[in-house]
Amino acid sequence: MKEISAGGIVFKRDGDDLRIMIIEDRYMKASLPKGKVEAGETLIETALREIKEETGIDGKIIEPLEVIHYQYYDPVRGEVNKEVHYFLVEAESGTLSAQLEEINSVAWYTPGAAWKKLKQGYENNYSVVKKAFDRLNIAVGDI
């Protein structure tokens, strides 16, 4: 079975101050907002909807970043081949608020703190974050 999702690396600027959004998922791991494509939706629509639903933030797509693939086991559906399309997204409005049915928390981090936090999450997110940081001209330690 194949499942397609979309999400983003969300950032905001306040003058020279740049922040990166990180969520903590239901498994207590640092991650990025994402979710399944619904019937009739484009990948961009899915990414923006999921970011809004999970975090309360409206954003605009800057550019596509990467498509990652992995597998997981679902007790009902069996082995699932997951494909996630990630976009670089600039926050435009909204109030940061975690959708507790889906995630445990959401917060803004400095780029360095975001990278450290994500290193405690999923390894398949590293290359996505590196690409986002490159596009944003962010250099952080060992990335």
Side-chain angles (χ1 to χ4, degrees):
M1 158 158 229
K2 184 173 184 176
E3 184 176 282
I4 299 175
S5 292
I9 306 232
V10 184
F11 71 95
K12 70 174 183 172
R13 293 187 192 275
D14 185 13
D16 290 337
D17 191 28
L18 182 95
R19 295 286 187 254
I20 306 293
M21 176 193 291
I22 304 296
I23 66 166
E24 182 181 89
D25 68 14
R26 65 183 100 181
Y27 305 107
M28 309 295 283
K29 289 196 156 211
S31 193
L32 306 166
K34 69 177 183 306
K36 296 176 197 162
V37 175
E38 293 182 355
E41 261 185 341
T42 67
L43 293 169
I44 287 172
E45 290 168 337
T46 300
L48 294 175
R49 175 184 54 77
E50 285 291 339
I51 290 165
K52 172 71 172 178
E53 287 177 3
E54 289 186 356
T55 71
I57 297 298
D58 288 301
K60 69 176 177 180
I61 300 287
I62 302 301
E63 64 183 82
L65 287 172
E66 186 174 1
V67 180
I68 64 169
H69 299 88
Y70 58 93
Q71 294 179 330
Y72 72 93
Y73 181 79
D74 180 278
V76 175
R77 299 179 294 164
E79 192 168 289
V80 178
N81 293 308
K82 182 89 169 189
E83 177 180 293
V84 185
H85 296 254
Y86 281 110
F87 297 89
L88 184 60
V89 178
E90 185 170 8
E92 292 189 310
S93 63
T95 302
L96 200 62
S97 174
Q99 180 188 26
L100 296 177
E101 300 84 12
E102 295 288 329
I103 65 173
N104 288 328
S105 65
V106 59
W108 294 109
Y109 293 87
T110 64
W115 178 248
K116 286 178 185 169
K117 182 90 172 156
L118 283 166
K119 292 288 272 184
Q120 302 164 15
Y122 301 99
E123 193 171 326
N124 60 14
N125 284 334
Y126 298 174
S127 65
V128 179
V129 175
K130 286 179 184 180
K131 286 180 178 155
F133 280 19
D134 285 346
R135 303 300 192 286
L136 294 168
N137 296 314
I138 298 168
V140 179
D142 64 351
I143 69 167

